[in-house]
Amino acid sequence: MSGDGFEVVSVVGLGYIGLPTAAVLANRGLEVIGVDINERAVSAINEGRAHFFEPELEALVHNAVRNKKLRAVNKPEAAQAYVIAVPTPISESKSPDLGYVKAAGASIAPVLTSGNLVILESTSPVGTVEMLAAQLRELRPDLTFPQDAGEDADVLLAYCPERIIPGRMVTELIENDRIVGGMSLKSVEAASKLYKTFVRGAVVATNGRTAEMVKLTENAFRDVNIAFANELSKVCDKFGVDVWEVIELANHHPRVNILQPGPGVGGHCIAVDPWFIIDAAEGQAPLMHTARNVNDSKPAYVVDKVRELAKPGDTIACFGLAYKANTDDLRESPAVTVVERLAETNEHKIVVVEPNVETLPSRFAGLNLARATLKEALETAQVVLLLVDHDEFKELSAEQLAGKTYYDSRGAWRHLSA
Ligand SMILES: NC(=O)c1ccc[n+]([C@@H]2O[C@H](COP(=O)([O-])OP(=O)(O)OC[C@H]3O[C@@H](n4cnc5c(N)ncnc54)[C@H](O)[C@@H]3O)[C@@H](O)[C@H]2O)c1
């Protein structure tokens, strides 16, 4: 380490989180060794390209590689700090799969040296950084770690969650506040120093377990609040009241801020992370558990509503597959579940319009559905189901939807019935 910071940093896992982090660090003048087991990602990065689309990222990667500040490899090499940003998915039974974190820990263990800092960024159950520390201690008995040696440890360990949003990742990486949780004071200090090389927001210190819980809390909070809106949408349907109007009017209250309902909750954060709490809380998280179930029940509710509206033999046009407007991200998307379930019933002809993706999900293979352009769908469908509020769908006029029955799961077409 030199003066106010680090010279050589390794980022392990070069996906949506790791690559922007590596590129930003490298553009701050640090030497960054990116590690990924995906050869396609490694070659793309070494050619100066990002292997996925994110605004501003390509230029940062290009610049860093050209200036020889960033290179990608498939196996960790010696560095002063290791930032781990590998996937932390959930299994079918909704328990966390920490296999990638363990594999990353095993891969850096042989190259660790005294004075190193290891930071876990992956969204993780409480206690994961301690698990990583225990794993490293077992693999490297010649080094000391904070759980035994406290402030005298050879290797420092910290947990620093990420909260950037796709589409604004590079900006938010720099502007957002960061929570830094260390297993010792020296760990927090060292990790804070690293983040301060590029973060303009506040860098707030705490311990590792608290930092892990903060990240999970943020997404569980969002999930519970969206569940309230989704439940409200069902209740309002029952009472024959427009939920969008109810929310708009209720939000005139100075201390009420209800979120928007939709066809469910998608993306690989909000729909996944609350399970890391529920799984380990031994029954102490019934509200979060119910919220997950409410949000997961919404696609089936939308399917039932649309089936009530459609006559036998009608063509139903489903608008959108992404989990959120104006993206191509299909991960955990409730729109995909809705389309799949509608097609499985085989009662109607299903056409799908999704301008942002090139290939339909593999889950659709063998299902009785077709892809269409917006124009074709408007020409053929009797029923239109709005699943994602992409701009091109929101902009449709009453004339374009004239004579069709439609179900708007996002409240994007309220102006049409005004
Ligand atoms: N994407 C987001 O918006 C976001 C936001 C906040 C937090 N997170 C969390 O950050 C973590 C990473 O998410 P992501 O979206 O970047 O995932 P990702 O799938 O885009 O990237 C992970 C990368 O890790 C690589 N990898 C897997 N095992 C490895 C190993 N042993 N060694 C080296 N590389 C390995 C994969 O090949 C992949 O390129 C997850 O825990 C996620 O929950 C993601």
Side-chain angles (χ1 to χ4, degrees):
M1 240 187 277
S2 76
D4 65 342
F6 294 80
E7 281 160 11
V8 185
V9 175
S10 180
V11 178
V12 183
L14 298 170
Y16 287 97
I17 295 298
L19 185 56
T21 306
V24 166
L25 280 167
N27 277 275
R28 284 286 184 279
L30 279 81
E31 184 188 334
V32 180
I33 307 168
V35 185
D36 206 293
I37 52 172
N38 175 351
E39 286 298 342
R40 198 180 62 83
V42 169
S43 336
I45 294 161
N46 286 331
E47 285 163 18
R49 291 185 289 111
H51 57 106
F52 56 89
F53 176 73
E54 174 62 31
E56 299 178 58
L57 182 60
E58 185 89 8
L60 282 182
V61 171
H62 184 81
N63 197 41
V65 172
R66 197 191 51 201
N67 292 332
K68 302 207 179 324
K69 289 294 181 188
L70 171 65
R71 65 192 168 87
V73 293
N74 59 14
K75 219 167 127 224
E77 297 175 9
Q80 292 163 317
Y82 296 86
V83 177
I84 301 176
V86 294
T88 43
I90 45 167
S91 67
E92 281 289 311
S93 63
K94 311 292 187 197
S95 47
D97 171 1
L98 295 178
Y100 296 95
V101 176
K102 288 180 186 157
S107 75
I108 63 167
V111 290
L112 279 184
T113 52
S114 184
N116 279 172
L117 165 68
V118 177
I119 299 174
L120 180 63
E121 282 203 3
S122 303
T123 303
S124 302
V126 174
T128 305
V129 81
E130 290 167 1
M131 177 206 81
L132 182 62
Q135 179 196 15
L136 294 175
R137 174 178 60 186
E138 202 174 315
L139 294 170
R140 290 297 304 271
D142 55 318
L143 293 170
T144 59
F145 294 86
Q147 65 271 39
D148 304 315
E151 299 301 329
D152 297 326
D154 293 332
V155 178
L156 308 176
L157 272 116
Y159 179 73
C160 302
E162 188 47 82
R163 39 166 78 129
I164 55 182
I165 189 167
R168 282 177 45 81
M169 284 185 152
V170 174
T171 308
E172 290 208 354
L173 196 58
I174 294 164
E175 301 295 336
N176 286 355
D177 294 349
R178 275 316 266 264
I179 309 301
V180 179
M183 280 187 70
S184 62
L185 286 177
K186 277 194 186 153
S187 303
V188 183
E189 278 166 19
S192 300
K193 205 176 249 185
L194 181 61
Y195 285 100
K196 282 180 184 165
T197 59
F198 64 92
V199 171
R200 261 190 241 138
V203 175
V204 187
T206 183
N207 62 55
R209 289 178 79 85
T210 304
E212 287 164 336
M213 189 59 190
V214 168
K215 172 66 192 173
L216 301 183
T217 301
E218 291 166 6
N219 284 344
F221 175 86
R222 303 261 311 145
D223 200 42
V224 169
N225 282 277
I226 297 168
F228 180 77
N230 277 334
E231 184 168 292
L232 201 61
S233 71
K234 296 181 187 176
V235 174
C236 286
D237 278 355
K238 223 347 111 271
F239 297 162
V241 178
D242 180 339
V243 67
W244 317 102
E245 190 180 356
V246 168
I247 292 174
E248 191 183 313
L249 299 185
N251 283 350
H252 277 273
H253 186 296
R255 286 166 296 282
V256 171
N257 184 12
I258 304 169
L259 302 184
Q260 298 295 302
V265 168
H268 79 312
C269 287
I270 298 178
V272 172
D273 302 347
W275 289 114
F276 292 1
I277 296 178
I278 300 160
D279 172 74
E282 297 178 337
Q284 295 303 313
L287 177 67
M288 294 183 224
H289 200 167
T290 303
R292 266 297 60 242
N293 289 339
V294 167
N295 287 331
D296 277 352
S297 73
K298 197 68 198 293
Y301 179 82
V302 171
V303 169
D304 289 346
K305 285 283 162 196
V306 175
R307 287 176 68 203
E308 280 169 25
L309 290 175
K311 293 193 287 296
D314 272 356
T315 295
I316 303 175
C318 301
F319 284 9
L321 287 177
Y323 87 84
K324 127 181 178 126
N326 303 322
T327 73
D328 62 355
D329 197 338
L330 302 188
R331 288 179 294 177
E332 310 291 327
S333 175
V336 172
T337 306
V338 169
V339 171
E340 184 179 47
R341 295 213 182 151
L342 276 173
E344 275 167 359
T345 63
N346 258 323
E347 287 167 15
H348 305 98
K349 204 169 157 213
I350 306 298
V351 295
V352 184
V353 185
E354 178 44 273
N356 293 353
V357 304
E358 273 174 27
T359 331
L360 291 183
S362 54
R363 280 163 69 172
F364 288 177
L367 286 177
N368 192 11
L369 57 82
R371 192 160 189 187
T373 62
L374 182 56
K375 186 167 174 285
E376 289 161 352
L378 287 170
E379 279 163 9
T380 54
Q382 289 78 38
V383 178
V384 174
L385 166 58
L386 182 93
L387 289 167
V388 188
D389 44 349
H390 289 325
D391 287 345
E392 48 269 77
F393 302 151
K394 277 204 309 203
E395 285 157 7
L396 288 174
S397 65
E399 291 74 51
Q400 285 171 294
L401 290 165
K404 298 188 191 308
T405 306
Y406 62 83
Y407 185 85
D408 171 11
S409 72
R410 295 276 181 181
W413 286 340
R414 286 184 62 206
H415 61 283
L416 299 180
S417 52

